[in-house]
């Protein structure tokens, strides 16, 4: 048992889809805790429930059982208004395919989220640290996949979230760009102190994590602390 304070504490988390013969158990009683400021990497085969787990932590779907405490607050008992407030206040989400708004510029895509926050980061400073300042007035289709993902990370970060949830953030990127994005996440973790959960198929990424969770058929089969994480720049696959 860690002496550090758990920031995300999940107990007996259950989720299924469908009923009767079509019933599919996707999360079968997940227990884990993630400390504040950790980088947690979740691995597992396709269909093992990784995205479902992130969506539940992110308050995008309801659990069928168990509890999800984030910063001492149980999401499973929040009403829709409070859940929306939790998502606005506490969460950043990054997806495999960026999900940028095509008709907004890079800067505007980030500004949209900034407006949701009471104390957003300075957008121009953030654009500079993302390496996007000179691309700020372009549209997503006019920049590379890596730059689009940087923009998506900026959009998640601009409200200075406590928790950054990333679902296959490098799944659509080549080796070199993937490493740049992982280095950016490492920087963000150090600079802003946000807790990061990265879901990936790439086991090599686990080496940069403080905690590694491995999911199989809706169960956690490995939950290990990594005493000496490797710098993202040193990863190889
Ligand atoms: N809305 C839904 N309705 C019905 N079944 C669903 C739904 N969402 C997910 N599932 C099923 O739940 C299981 C887990 O899905 P999930 O997306 O969490 O897996 P995953 O580990 O993220 O897989 P991948 O690595 O392919 O992204 C799968 O069998 C999937 O088909
Ligand atoms: Mg998935």
């Amino acid at each position: 048992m860690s002496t550090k304070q758990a920031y995300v504490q999940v107990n007996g988390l259950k989720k299924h889809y469908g009923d009767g013969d079509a019933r599919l158990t996707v999360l079968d009683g997940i227990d884990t805790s993630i400390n504040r400021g950790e980088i947690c990497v979740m691995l597992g085969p396709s269909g093992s429930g990784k995205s479902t787990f992130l969506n539940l932590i992110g308050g995008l779907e309801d659990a069928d059982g168990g509890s999800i405490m984030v910063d001492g607050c149980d999401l499973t008992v929040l009403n829709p208004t409070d859940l929306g407030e939790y998502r606005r206040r506490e969460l950043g989400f990054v997806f495999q395919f960026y999900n940028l708004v095509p008709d907004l510029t890079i800067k505007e895509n980030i500004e949209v989220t900034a407006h949701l926050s009471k104390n957003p980061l300075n957008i121009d400073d953030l654009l500079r640290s993302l390496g996007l300042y000179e691309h700020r007035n372009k549209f997503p289709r006019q920049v590379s996949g890596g730059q689009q993902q940087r923009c998506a990370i900026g959009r998640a970060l601009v409200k200075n979230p406590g928790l950054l949830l990333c679902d296959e953030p490098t799944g659509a990127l080549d080796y070199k760009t993937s490493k740049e994005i992982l280095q950016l996440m490492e920087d963000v973790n150090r600079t802003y102190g946000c807790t990061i959960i990265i879901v990936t198929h790439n086991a090599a990424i686990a080496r940069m994590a403080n905690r590694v969770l491995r999911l199989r058929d809706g169960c956690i089969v490995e939950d290990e602390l990594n005493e000496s994480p490797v710098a993202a720049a040193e990863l190889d696959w």
Side-chain angles (χ1 to χ4, degrees), residues 4-232:
K4 283 192 205 164
Q5 187 202 355
Y7 174 56
V8 178
Q9 172 91 44
V10 174
N11 286 109
L13 186 62
K14 285 184 183 272
K15 178 72 180 174
H16 76 275
Y17 292 109
D19 282 308
D21 287 350
R23 185 185 168 97
L24 177 69
T25 298
V26 179
L27 297 177
D28 199 8
I30 302 279
D31 300 303
T32 190
S33 69
I34 299 166
N35 293 327
R36 192 181 289 279
E38 276 184 353
I39 295 179
C40 172
V41 167
M42 175 177 266
L43 300 169
S46 185
S48 56
K50 304 181 299 297
S51 295
T52 304
F53 178 78
L54 275 198
N55 290 342
L56 289 170
I57 305 262
L60 298 176
E61 289 186 64
D62 291 331
D64 297 322
S67 62
I68 306 168
M69 307 289 290
V70 178
D71 205 11
C73 171
D74 187 352
L75 303 188
T76 59
V77 301
L78 289 185
N79 63 42
T81 309
D82 289 342
L83 202 55
E85 176 58 24
Y86 157 74
R87 283 203 297 266
R88 268 192 299 283
R89 191 192 63 237
E90 199 75 13
L91 270 194
F93 245 110
V94 176
F95 302 95
Q96 179 173 355
F97 295 111
Y98 329 130
N99 294 356
L100 301 176
V101 181
D103 296 334
L104 297 182
T105 64
I106 295 296
K107 183 170 180 175
E108 288 165 347
N109 263 282
I110 295 177
E111 274 169 347
V112 168
T113 333
H115 290 312
L116 295 175
S117 173
K118 290 195 185 85
N119 51 355
L121 303 179
N122 179 284
I123 295 183
D124 284 345
D125 289 348
L126 183 61
L127 282 164
R128 283 190 195 90
S129 68
L130 294 165
L132 288 175
Y133 189 73
E134 57 274 42
H135 302 292
R136 67 191 180 285
N137 295 322
K138 293 183 182 170
F139 292 96
R141 65 177 178 280
Q142 298 173 313
V143 301
S144 70
Q147 287 160 343
Q148 288 182 59
Q149 191 58 302
R150 284 172 186 277
C151 179
I153 292 171
R155 179 186 55 187
L157 281 181
V158 69
K159 59 182 177 176
N160 207 356
L163 186 56
L164 188 62
L165 302 178
C166 311
D167 198 351
E168 310 263 9
T170 61
L173 301 175
D174 61 56
Y175 174 75
K176 183 169 166 284
T177 313
S178 295
K179 282 185 61 165
E180 286 170 6
I181 290 295
L182 294 169
Q183 280 175 260
L184 177 63
M185 292 193 168
E186 192 177 56
D187 285 347
V188 157
N189 171 258
R190 287 209 191 110
T191 310
Y192 302 110
C194 56
T195 306
I196 305 183
I197 306 179
I198 303 174
V199 159
T200 177
H201 279 108
N202 185 347
I205 296 177
R207 296 178 63 225
M208 71 179 274
N210 304 107
R211 179 182 302 275
V212 181
L213 301 177
R214 198 178 290 268
L215 210 57
R216 190 178 302 148
D217 294 335
C219 297
I220 290 193
V221 292
E222 183 184 320
D223 183 343
E224 285 193 350
L225 284 179
N226 183 2
E227 297 300 340
S228 40
V230 169

